[in-house]
Amino acid sequence: MKKTLPVAALPVIFATVVLDAVGIGLVFPILPALLRDVTHADNVAPYIGIMTALYALMQFIFAPVLGALSDRLGRRPVLLLSLAGAAVNYLFLAFAPSLWMLLLGRAIAGLTSANVSVATAYITDISAENLRARRFGLLNAMFGAGFIIGPVLGGALGDYGLRLPFMAAAVLNAGNLLLAWLSLPESRTPTRGKIDLAALHPLRPLRWVFSEKSLLPITVIFFTFSAAGEVYGVCWALWGHDAFAWNGLWIGLSLGAFGVCQALAQAFLPGPAVKLLGERATILTGVACACVALLVMAFATRSWMIFAIMPVFALGGIGAPALQSLATRQVAEDRQGQFQGVLASAVSLASVLCPLVFSSIYFGVRAYWPGAVWLSVIVVYAALVPLVLGLRLQKPAQALAG
């Protein structure tokens, strides 16, 4: 029996997710200038790669830990602790004078942002099965909204002071902490059993893939798809500054415009596209649109070209939902949870490894042709085509049984 939903519970949970996404996005426009100020280096691409990978690594490690702790201690105390930690950490980042302190702060930010897994569990606790899909859809929409707000806020404030975005994030998290403290009830009765430490190993879900060889292709596709997506957070701000002399506001506006276009595309187009073209063709159509946009970006000489290509770029986003739909047909119903854990691990692993790769590529091409980094993403997408074409499309009855 689900608990009766308090009026303020969902807004507080959604606000938590929005602020997580804002925290991820607000640093993108200001990070190059901040790192130049701290390191006194001209080419800071390697440092950006390290900071991005470190943030993802902490999420990768601590998401299952926070989820397990919330099962034992309750959702409310873990969420409150993570919000308090985020507020304090953003203040720490606002005044960090050296590179090692920025790295430490970003690591702590990754740890506290892993509370999305707890927020998801909270919604599961308080939602009947017929309401979960709609509420999880709203949860994803809130994350997308935060990721749109974050870069714009970071860029606008960063032009007045490199540390102002962190101060704003600290105030927002402190406000959310107060709201949660006053109005967020516990959603479940905590257990007192021992935590299975072996289950917290972040690579554990991937072991199953190697025991079920037929799942390797779709897992590799997910990893490659995610790898291509990592380049934008690492290189967009650097490239915008180097290619068009964008300030923080323009970097934030460009990322925000991309986020709006992609959110609209993913909200309205994947369903009709899959119905018309099928899953495989929809994935390949998304890849083709992304490659066209990346080619234009690589050779663009004016800012308006980037904004003009945004709708085509956003169409590249229709491939991800189609890929998720196709993936669910690879295993039987009783293995879906386990398989989704595998795919989440593959995505997380890409978020850890690929920022280091793309930042190194940008470091190598920046002096001669900053836009060349987008050609490397086209190469990654090209590698997807034979993988998708060779993927065996399972029917539900043929899906891999447990």
Side-chain angles (χ1 to χ4, degrees):
M1 188 79 178
K2 294 292 171 187
K3 290 192 173 188
T4 302
L5 176 65
V7 174
L10 275 179
V12 174
I13 291 295
F14 289 153
T16 299
V17 173
V18 169
L19 290 175
D20 281 338
V22 168
I24 295 171
L26 69 82
V27 75
F28 290 156
I30 63 169
L31 194 54
L34 181 60
L35 286 170
R36 290 189 192 101
D37 181 61
V38 169
T39 65
H40 307 293
D42 182 50
N43 196 341
V44 294
Y47 299 114
I48 291 179
I50 292 170
M51 290 193 74
T52 306
L54 183 61
Y55 186 95
L57 178 63
M58 297 301 284
Q59 283 188 314
F60 182 47
I61 294 172
F62 285 98
V65 174
L66 290 185
L69 286 176
S70 75
D71 286 338
R72 185 173 183 185
L73 304 177
R75 315 296 188 208
R76 175 183 160 87
V78 175
L79 281 171
L80 292 176
L81 183 63
S82 65
L83 287 170
V88 172
N89 178 62
Y90 280 120
L91 278 178
F92 177 85
L93 286 170
F95 297 101
S98 60
L99 177 63
W100 76 265
M101 292 184 73
L102 284 176
L103 290 172
L104 176 62
R106 203 58 183 158
I108 298 172
L111 189 160
T112 56
S113 73
N115 61 25
V116 173
S117 61
V118 184
T120 302
Y122 191 103
I123 289 180
T124 303
D125 292 339
I126 64 175
S127 302
E129 289 188 12
N130 63 321
L131 295 175
R132 287 180 189 172
R134 181 164 63 90
R135 288 178 177 171
F136 286 142
L138 287 171
L139 190 75
N140 291 334
M142 293 300 103
F143 190 89
F147 205 78
I148 293 167
I149 295 167
V152 177
L153 178 65
L157 293 177
D159 284 342
Y160 292 96
L162 287 176
R163 310 296 179 125
L164 276 179
F166 297 119
M167 295 179 187
V171 171
L172 290 172
N173 274 278
N176 195 24
L177 172 63
L178 180 62
L179 179 63
W181 178 271
L182 295 175
S183 59
L184 188 68
E186 180 54 65
S187 64
R188 57 171 278 128
T189 302
T191 64
R192 298 302 175 190
K194 291 184 178 180
I195 297 175
D196 181 8
L197 296 179
L200 300 181
H201 196 298
L203 293 176
R204 186 177 183 182
L206 293 177
R207 296 177 184 174
W208 183 43
V209 173
F210 295 98
S211 66
E212 302 286 1
K213 296 293 193 285
S214 62
L215 298 179
L216 271 174
I218 190 69
T219 306
V220 171
I221 290 172
F222 256 83
F223 177 87
T224 308
F225 217 94
S226 302
E230 288 300 317
V231 69
Y232 309 116
V234 176
C235 298
W236 189 283
L238 289 167
W239 163 76
H241 178 271
D242 293 337
F244 307 113
W246 282 348
N247 61 12
L249 177 60
W250 278 104
I251 292 170
L253 288 174
S254 64
L255 285 168
F258 173 70
V260 170
C261 290
Q262 188 169 60
L264 291 173
Q266 289 195 336
F268 298 108
L269 297 181
V274 169
K275 186 176 181 180
L276 179 65
L277 303 173
E279 291 158 338
R280 195 203 308 262
T282 299
I283 295 168
L284 295 176
T285 299
V287 168
C289 290
C291 288
V292 169
L294 288 165
L295 194 63
V296 172
M297 289 166 61
F299 291 95
T301 57
R302 296 287 187 274
S303 294
W304 66 264
M305 298 178 181
I306 308 306
F307 287 90
I309 202 67
M310 284 290 183
V312 177
F313 201 177
L315 285 175
I318 68 173
L323 180 59
Q324 290 171 327
S325 174
L326 189 150
T328 62
R329 293 164 52 192
Q330 303 303 304
V331 297
E333 287 296 323
D334 61 348
R335 308 296 288 277
Q336 287 294 331
Q338 187 177 9
F339 187 45
Q340 292 304 317
V342 167
L343 298 181
S345 291
V347 171
S348 297
L349 202 56
S351 299
V352 174
L353 298 177
C354 296
L356 301 174
V357 174
F358 285 119
S359 64
S360 299
I361 292 173
Y362 193 83
F363 181 84
V365 304
R366 179 200 177 207
Y368 310 100
W369 179 15
V373 69
W374 306 124
L375 299 181
S376 71
V377 190
I378 293 176
V379 172
V380 175
Y381 276 129
L384 276 172
V385 174
L387 291 172
V388 174
L389 290 175
L391 190 65
R392 182 181 176 186
L393 299 183
Q394 303 276 14
K395 295 179 180 178
Q398 296 176 321
L400 185 64

